[in-house]
């Protein structure tokens, strides 16, 4: 039996696209193994062989994948839904199996991480790490100064007082809000509590990760720089800056 795994399978697993797309990368001579242009049918051992695409080494830890998905409205943030509704995991490759980091409501759109990296997922999701999450929030009419102040200072929900939030008014009832807690349906409940139900909610940033060009339903692998920035945001508390999106892709608004 031949040793190693098929190169296109390894490339697909680290999020470079479907196996078919990865075969095309190989055919286009964009993939090198140990410094030499790889041929279709090549087998590799990802733990031993150096695999590069367009001159950049793939994945920093073999087997772990980190996807950024722009979740469309109407999908459920779960790996499988007993009611048979469309799930976010159906929008990304089946193998390796990944799970969502935190959750967005069915009616909420925007950026969601999916990974098989349990350790990083736990650290991002844990409220003590305070990773910032930024949302675009659309409500029916402009908030008063007093209502904005309440949101910024914290509002009493049935599971406790919310931490101070950043809220910027962009235009009438359209606002940008940044929070670092992860209470269930937190943004919707905060706006409900000041009498302005949310009409549209889009997550536009998770810590240092944003991508205005990733369209609804599209996903991509985090770049190594983004992964490093995310790991350092989790280690030090959240950061805004750091990484430019590596691919073309948009939060439709
Ligand atoms: N806050 C909400 O209300 N819903 C989400 O999906 C995320 C944050």
């Amino acid at each position: 039996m031949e040793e190693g795994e098929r190169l296109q399978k390894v490339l697909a697993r680290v999020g470079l696209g479907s196996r078919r797309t990865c075969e095309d990368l190989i055919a286009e001579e964009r993939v090198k193994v140990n410094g030499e242009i790889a041929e279709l049918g090549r087998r590799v051992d990802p733990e031993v062989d150096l695999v590069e695409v367009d001159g950049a080494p793939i994945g920093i830890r073999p087997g772990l994948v980190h996807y950024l998905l722009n979740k469309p409205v109407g999908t459920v943030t779960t790996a499988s839904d007993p009611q048979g509704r469309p799930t976010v995991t159906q929008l990304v490759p089946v193998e390796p199996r990944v799970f969502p980091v935190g959750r967005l409501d069915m009616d909420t759109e925007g950026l969601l991480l999916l990974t098989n990296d349990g350790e990083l997922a736990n650290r991002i999701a844990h409220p003590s790490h305070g990773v910032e999450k930024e949302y675009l929030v659309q409500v029916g009419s402009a908030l008063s100064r007093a209502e904005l102040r309440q949101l910024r200072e914290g509002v009493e929900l049935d599971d406790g007082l919310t931490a101070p939030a950043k809220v910027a008014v962009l235009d009438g009832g359209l606002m940008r809000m940044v929070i670092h807690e992860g209470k269930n349906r937190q943004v919707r409940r905060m706006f409900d509590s000041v009498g302005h139900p949310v009409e549209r909610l889009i997550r536009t940033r998770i810590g240092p990760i944003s991508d205005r060009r990733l369209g609804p339903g599209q996903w991509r692998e985090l770049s190594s720089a983004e992964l490093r920035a995310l790991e350092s945001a989790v280690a030090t508390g959240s950061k805004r800056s750091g990484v430019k999106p590596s691919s073309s892709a948009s939060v439709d608004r």
Side-chain angles (χ1 to χ4, degrees):
M1 175 167 147
E2 288 175 273
E3 283 183 13
E5 277 184 87
R6 283 194 182 280
L7 183 54
Q8 63 267 36
K9 191 173 167 194
V10 173
L11 297 176
R13 201 176 53 225
V14 298
L16 285 159
S18 66
R19 281 194 205 175
R20 185 60 225 279
T21 310
C22 294
E23 283 172 7
D24 290 345
L25 289 177
I26 300 167
E28 288 161 14
E29 304 195 338
R30 292 168 59 186
V31 184
K32 283 186 181 170
V33 177
N34 303 326
E36 291 186 1
I37 292 175
E39 292 184 359
L40 265 177
R42 170 81 205 241
R43 285 175 179 267
V44 292
D45 178 347
E47 304 270 352
V48 175
D49 294 311
L50 173 67
V51 180
E52 293 167 296
V53 176
D54 295 334
I58 61 160
I60 47 182
R61 275 166 297 165
L64 291 183
V65 295
H66 306 82
Y67 301 139
L68 181 67
L69 170 73
N70 184 348
K71 175 194 173 301
V73 166
T75 47
V76 197
T77 307
T78 175
S80 76
D81 183 53
Q83 296 173 48
R85 294 170 296 183
T87 67
V88 291
T89 47
Q90 288 164 349
L91 295 168
V92 296
V94 180
E95 289 290 337
R97 284 183 64 154
V98 291
F99 47 87
V101 180
R103 66 184 290 279
L104 292 178
D105 307 328
M106 183 148 149
D107 292 337
T108 301
E109 310 155 59
L111 300 181
L112 181 71
L113 295 170
L114 295 108
T115 184
N116 56 356
D117 186 344
E119 202 219 332
L120 182 65
N122 285 339
R123 284 191 284 139
I124 297 169
H126 200 281
S128 69
H129 294 294
V131 174
E132 283 188 349
K133 282 125 192 156
E134 182 181 283
Y135 297 87
L136 270 183
V137 189
Q138 177 73 62
V139 299
S141 57
L143 273 68
S144 68
R145 279 165 178 254
E147 289 163 343
L148 285 169
R149 192 170 57 241
Q150 264 182 284
L151 289 178
R152 289 180 181 132
E153 289 178 356
V155 293
E156 191 65 48
L157 301 178
D158 50 16
D159 49 355
L161 185 68
T162 60
K166 293 180 201 159
V167 188
V169 178
L170 301 178
D171 184 19
L174 181 64
M175 279 152 288
R176 176 176 293 127
M177 177 179 230
V178 180
I179 58 173
H180 56 81
E181 301 168 289
K183 295 181 192 291
N184 194 26
R185 297 179 67 82
Q186 178 164 343
V187 177
R188 292 177 191 277
R189 289 191 296 138
M190 287 176 77
F191 279 85
D192 280 344
S193 78
V194 294
H196 290 267
V198 170
E199 293 178 354
R200 190 170 179 197
L201 184 57
I202 308 172
R203 182 151 72 189
T204 50
R205 181 167 64 83
I206 304 166
I209 311 296
S210 62
D211 189 338
R212 296 172 64 120
R213 293 191 294 162
L214 193 67
Q218 291 186 330
W219 65 276
R220 65 172 173 82
E221 174 87 354
L222 291 184
S223 68
S224 322
E226 286 175 316
L227 193 52
R228 276 197 304 274
L230 191 58
E231 290 189 327
S232 100
V234 170
T236 61
S238 192
K239 283 194 214 141
R240 203 209 132 69
S241 60
V243 195
K244 290 225 167 69
S246 63
S247 85
S248 57
S250 77
V251 179
D252 177 30
R253 58 182 77 109

